[in-house]
Amino acid sequence: MKFSAITLLSAAGLTLVVGCSNSHDTSNSNKEPTVHSTPRVETKSSFVSRPLDKFAPTNAQDGRLKQAEASITNGCLRKLGYSQHPLSEKPTPDQSSNIYEFYWFPDAARTGYSTPPQVPQGTSWDESVPRIQQGLLDGKTRSYKGNPVPKDGCYGEAGRRLTKNATPPEKFSEGGITISRVADASPRGLIESYISVIRQKLSFDIKQDSRVKKLMSQWSQCMSAEGYNYPSPAGAAGDNRWGNNGSKHPSKDEISAATTDMACKKKLHYLDVVIAVESAYETRYIEQHPGRVQEFTQLRTAWDKNAQRLTR
């Protein structure tokens, strides 16, 4: 699977309607935030913690939400008289990569710009759900074996119980980007999606930051010295030549470009600088929007309490 230059949302088990407008708030773009330190980022990891991450559910909280959602959904289905194909009630850790542009560091010499293996199509739980069960989950089936299906289905029932006394907003907007939560969507992943929208909004200013533009120029010069002409790492990773050689394996040219790319980034401490600048913008956002990020904390805490109560 070839790299995609823009990744907006990553929310497992969550259905979202995404809308974008061309408007962009530049009121906070005039002054670049100060970078107080440039930490060394471990390139062996595909997850880097930045300031906004502290407002997202922890792995433990996400696991409890996942377990509670499965328990409620399975109970709802059984009550309707359907006991096949239950959700697993044993949560597994799931910390997805959040530094997509950089996770080729460990394996570039072997995999080029290929992304980590994805779940094969048709093998996820949702994709293997029988049609009759899907109707009970999303509420499109109104009754089953004489039993009325809850509003918005068993998923809707789970969502209402998990968000009791802490209902998430129907819409979340930032910088011209809006996500709308549909009725049967899971609360799991909602806060992460809100954070993704904020980061997408901040990315407009980050790309124009003088420190990032200088770094991009240095990276491009480094690549040019080795015979590669790309304006940015996204351009290198998204080259149309990659993945079109009729083979499942990367070509020698792709391997060469990817390893040169990684060497230039290491030489320039590229990842360290980019994460430091991104963190500075996120810190400023948190300082300027204390009410919004505090709402994330309140929702997260309330949902976790509900999950713990529902799984006792």
Side-chain angles (χ1 to χ4, degrees):
M1 180 179 178
K2 193 176 72 173
F3 169 74
S4 176
I6 299 177
T7 301
L8 176 60
L9 301 175
S10 177
L14 182 65
T15 304
L16 294 172
V17 177
V18 182
C20 298
S21 74
N22 293 324
S23 63
H24 171 50
D25 180 9
T26 59
S27 58
N28 295 325
S29 305
N30 296 327
K31 185 178 180 181
E32 297 175 352
T34 301
V35 172
H36 297 287
S37 63
T38 305
R40 291 298 300 272
V41 177
E42 177 55 66
T43 57
K44 293 180 180 179
S45 171
S46 62
F47 186 89
V48 175
S49 181
R50 288 164 287 175
L52 282 168
D53 289 313
K54 68 181 179 180
F55 299 99
T58 64
N59 284 343
Q61 290 171 331
D62 184 70
R64 286 191 287 268
L65 279 171
K66 190 174 183 179
Q67 182 182 12
E69 180 182 44
S71 177
I72 297 167
T73 300
N74 290 339
C76 173
L77 290 170
R78 288 194 298 269
K79 188 176 180 181
L80 292 171
Y82 190 96
S83 58
Q84 302 175 45
H85 198 65
L87 269 164
S88 173
E89 296 183 25
K90 295 181 179 180
T92 55
D94 179 25
Q95 189 174 62
S96 302
S97 170
N98 70 342
I99 50 170
Y100 302 100
E101 195 174 311
F102 309 99
Y103 57 19
W104 303 291
F105 270 106
D107 299 312
R110 181 174 59 87
T111 62
Y113 285 113
S114 297
T115 59
Q118 304 293 311
V119 176
Q121 187 174 2
T123 61
S124 70
W125 187 87
D126 284 328
E127 289 180 308
S128 58
V129 168
R131 181 176 297 179
I132 183 62
Q133 185 177 10
Q134 186 60 58
L136 303 179
L137 291 170
D138 60 23
K140 290 182 180 178
T141 298
R142 301 298 179 87
S143 66
Y144 183 73
K145 293 184 177 180
N147 299 310
V149 176
K151 183 178 182 294
D152 304 318
C154 289
Y155 276 159
E157 175 71 12
R160 285 189 295 275
R161 293 180 67 183
L162 283 171
T163 60
K164 184 178 180 181
N165 299 322
T167 305
E170 291 297 323
K171 291 186 178 181
F172 182 89
S173 299
E174 188 65 70
I177 303 169
T178 299
I179 55 174
S180 299
R181 179 173 180 256
V182 297
D184 64 337
S186 165
R188 281 198 315 111
L190 269 178
I191 296 175
E192 290 93 333
S193 295
Y194 299 157
I195 290 173
S196 292
V197 170
I198 293 171
R199 283 180 170 150
Q200 184 69 12
K201 181 261 186 184
L202 294 177
S203 71
F204 294 109
D205 291 334
I206 292 170
K207 288 176 182 177
Q208 297 303 314
D209 186 277
S210 62
R211 293 156 297 195
V212 170
K213 292 176 77 171
K214 177 182 178 181
L215 185 63
M216 289 290 185
S217 176
Q218 292 173 330
W219 175 88
S220 186
Q221 290 172 21
C222 180
M223 291 290 285
S224 180
E226 299 298 327
Y228 296 98
N229 296 310
Y230 294 110
S232 69
D239 192 315
N240 289 330
R241 293 178 297 166
W242 315 147
N244 292 325
N245 61 349
S247 171
K248 294 181 180 180
H249 305 289
S251 66
K252 290 183 179 179
D253 287 342
E254 180 180 346
I255 291 289
S256 178
T259 52
T260 302
D261 181 356
M262 299 309 115
C264 284
K265 284 173 177 170
K266 288 179 181 179
K267 177 182 178 180
L268 298 169
H269 299 289
Y270 186 100
L271 180 55
D272 304 343
V273 175
V274 169
I275 294 298
V277 173
E278 288 180 355
S279 296
Y281 278 88
E282 290 190 12
T283 296
R284 183 170 72 177
Y285 180 91
I286 291 168
E287 292 171 348
Q288 293 178 340
H289 302 82
R292 169 156 279 187
V293 293
Q294 182 61 30
E295 182 181 10
F296 295 165
T297 302
Q298 292 170 345
L299 290 174
R300 179 187 66 185
T301 300
W303 297 349
D304 186 48
K305 287 181 178 179
N306 286 339
Q308 292 184 58
R309 174 176 53 81
L310 293 165
T311 53
R312 285 173 183 167

